[in-house]
Amino acid sequence: MRLSALACGLAALTAAAPAVAQSIAALPDQTSRVRLSNRDVNHVVCVGGDIEDVKFSAEKGLAVERGGSDAWVKFLLLETDDMGAKTRTYVTTPSEFFVSCNGAIYPLYAEPADIPAQTVTLVPGATQRARANDALLGPLVEEERAVGIVLALLQDRVPASFTEVAPSRERLTLPDLPGVQIGERRRLAIEGAGLSASEYLVSSTDAVSLEERAFLDGAFGPDIFAVTLDRLTLAPSQSARLIVVRRSIAQ
């Protein structure tokens, strides 16, 4: 399948997710144990949405502020005065947080420690990814879906709701292209849409002409939906990018 004019209307699909400084990842509906700074302001980021609420126990010496997709957590410094002698104590007692993000609850068990400020990234779970993919792909016809997925990979602008899957380490060869080496570089599962996609690097030690239909082969998985090459001729030691979209979830 060659790239077509359908690509013009798919900017929203291939828009890159905003860059997020990530040090700790947390998933919804399961308790994540995290170590947070008991001295500095810690940052919590909701990927792809806003933080609707944060439940916590203020009696444990905490201050929490939120706005949009961000929340900031600070353990308060405890100060005591004994006959003029002031003593400062940093919080060491763990606290539980329940953060509402993208319609899901992220339970966090936070252990305060003498470490630099931490960033906790609330990563979408399967339900949130499926919902986001349905919003992106649901209004599109099949050909538009394929074009959007192909462009997302070729432009390295993959939506955050697409799930990275470990690519195969095995190199492929096709009977009709004996001198061509094919290695999988990237694999994506598109939950909620029943689709998956892979990017392969196609290389050859000799000059060769390629045809996309030659890659409609079961070696690339079942129920192939679309195949696209970014170039149809290879000079010696040159490589092409091959995108394969399937009507099946990645395994």
Side-chain angles (χ1 to χ4, degrees):
M1 176 181 147
R2 301 301 299 153
L3 299 181
S4 71
L6 289 170
C8 298
L10 297 175
L13 174 60
T14 57
V20 175
Q22 180 175 343
S23 55
I24 307 168
L27 289 167
D29 305 321
Q30 63 184 54
T31 300
S32 298
R33 299 178 68 96
V34 297
R35 296 177 73 233
L36 300 182
S37 174
N38 64 357
R39 300 168 182 263
D40 300 324
V41 178
N42 301 282
H43 189 196
V44 180
V45 182
C46 176
V47 176
D50 290 339
I51 293 178
E52 296 97 10
D53 195 11
V54 182
K55 300 293 186 184
F56 65 99
S57 177
E59 291 80 8
K60 292 189 176 181
L62 292 168
V64 177
E65 294 184 10
R66 62 182 175 88
S69 62
D70 304 288
W72 295 268
V73 177
K74 178 73 170 70
F75 290 92
L76 301 180
L77 181 65
L78 306 179
E79 186 174 282
T80 58
D81 189 338
D82 184 9
M83 303 293 290
K86 293 185 178 181
T87 302
R88 293 183 175 183
T89 305
Y90 291 96
V91 174
T92 57
T93 304
S95 295
E96 287 186 303
F97 298 85
F98 297 89
V99 186
S100 299
C101 160
N102 277 335
I105 302 297
Y106 291 75
L108 304 178
Y109 183 80
E111 299 174 337
D114 184 12
I115 57 176
Q118 302 292 296
T119 296
V120 180
T121 303
L122 307 180
V123 181
T127 300
Q128 289 74 35
R129 291 193 298 269
R131 187 186 304 128
N133 289 333
D134 183 64
L136 288 172
L137 299 171
L140 306 178
V141 299
E142 278 197 327
E143 186 177 351
E144 290 173 330
R145 292 184 184 189
V147 170
I149 294 166
V150 167
L151 287 175
L153 280 162
L154 289 179
Q155 297 175 356
D156 294 317
R157 297 170 63 87
V158 175
S161 54
F162 290 10
T163 304
E164 293 275 358
V165 179
S168 172
R169 295 184 179 182
E170 296 182 6
R171 298 187 69 81
L172 300 175
T173 56
L174 299 178
D176 294 338
L177 297 169
V180 173
Q181 296 294 316
I182 306 163
E184 189 174 24
R185 175 175 177 264
R186 193 175 195 183
R187 185 181 299 194
L188 302 172
I190 308 169
E191 292 162 304
L195 299 171
S196 63
S198 292
E199 176 186 347
Y200 298 87
L201 290 181
V202 181
S203 59
S204 175
T205 54
D206 301 315
V208 64
S209 295
L210 303 172
E211 292 186 3
E212 288 169 338
R213 62 184 179 181
F215 297 91
L216 293 170
D217 190 285
F220 297 98
D223 206 0
I224 295 175
F225 179 25
V227 171
T228 299
L229 285 162
D230 71 341
R231 63 180 66 198
L232 296 178
T233 58
L234 293 180
S237 300
Q238 195 174 41
S239 62
R241 297 172 70 187
L242 167 70
I243 309 298
V244 177
V245 182
R246 312 176 193 85
R247 290 189 185 92
S248 59
I249 205 68
Q251 298 295 321

